[in-house]
Amino acid sequence: MALLPILRYPDPRLHQVAKPVKAVDARVQKIVADMAETMYAAPGIGLAATQVDIHERIVVIDVSEEKNQLQVFINPEIVGQSVTCKVYEEGCLSVPGVYDEVERPDRITVSALDAQGHAFTLQAEGLLAVCLQHELDHLNGKVFVQYLSRLKQNRIRSKLLKQTEPA
């Protein structure tokens, strides 16, 4: 396994739309293992392949307190969502140190393949639903700050660009 470099906003590669995984094979399973190691080391609760410059529809999530319940979603799609929405504070490994409120459906149904390539459907609510929607946005080329006002987006972009400038 290997730690993968995480792209930082406003890197334009974060806006690439991920392509479907054609087959769940050893190559994809290695990507999943590397992504999981990267997510846990960051530390984070979710990571989309787009964030590590792999533009395939792969997400890893672990919202457990113990960090021992890894969930893998290959080619995930939201197939249902509640009409009711809820506001949650979100953060992102690609936007370090930035947290803000985003409104999303509070319950969703997702279909995907697991790490062995088996199809499954999952109903999620609360933190898991938020995390799934956040990570699926990444696969579709969207970063959570795009839900914020233009002023906040510009401030975040400026702040993160200043952090990457050489001293």
Side-chain angles (χ1 to χ4, degrees):
M1 294 193 298
L3 288 178
L4 303 170
I6 297 172
L7 299 178
R8 288 177 57 133
Y9 181 81
D11 192 310
R13 293 173 290 180
L14 288 169
H15 301 294
Q16 286 185 354
V17 176
K19 297 191 176 352
V21 172
K22 288 182 175 35
V24 179
D25 53 17
R27 180 191 68 85
V28 170
Q29 290 169 338
K30 178 171 182 353
I31 291 170
V32 167
D34 290 347
M35 285 177 60
E37 183 178 2
T38 302
M39 176 189 71
Y40 287 127
I45 61 170
L47 186 68
T50 302
Q51 293 177 269
V52 291
D53 204 19
I54 298 170
H55 302 283
E56 296 183 64
R57 296 188 71 79
I58 304 169
V59 167
V60 295
I61 291 176
D62 189 342
V63 294
S64 70
E65 290 289 325
E66 302 80 22
K67 300 298 176 216
N68 62 358
Q69 295 175 27
L70 181 69
Q71 294 178 279
V72 176
F73 301 84
I74 298 171
N75 295 336
E77 296 295 333
I78 296 174
V79 295
Q81 63 187 33
S82 63
V83 178
T84 56
C85 292
K86 196 166 183 183
V87 174
Y88 286 91
E89 186 176 74
E90 295 187 27
C92 182
L93 295 176
S94 292
V95 193
V98 175
Y99 300 89
D100 214 314
E101 293 182 338
V102 177
E103 183 178 38
R104 299 184 185 270
D106 61 352
R107 288 186 317 281
I108 61 168
T109 303
V110 174
S111 66
L113 302 175
D114 66 17
Q116 286 69 48
H118 300 119
F120 69 96
T121 301
L122 174 79
Q123 292 187 335
E125 58 184 296
L127 182 59
L128 180 57
V130 170
C131 193
L132 276 163
Q133 291 172 84
H134 178 109
E135 301 309 336
L136 267 67
D137 274 354
H138 277 300
L139 298 181
N140 294 323
K142 188 169 185 175
V143 181
F144 92 98
V145 297
Q146 290 175 263
Y147 288 98
L148 308 178
S149 70
R150 185 68 75 202
L151 175 64
K152 282 186 179 182
Q153 288 180 46
N154 289 336
R155 285 183 180 161
I156 292 165
R157 181 179 293 110
S158 295
K159 175 184 170 186
L160 293 178
L161 286 172
K162 282 181 185 170
Q163 290 175 1
T164 60
E165 289 176 0

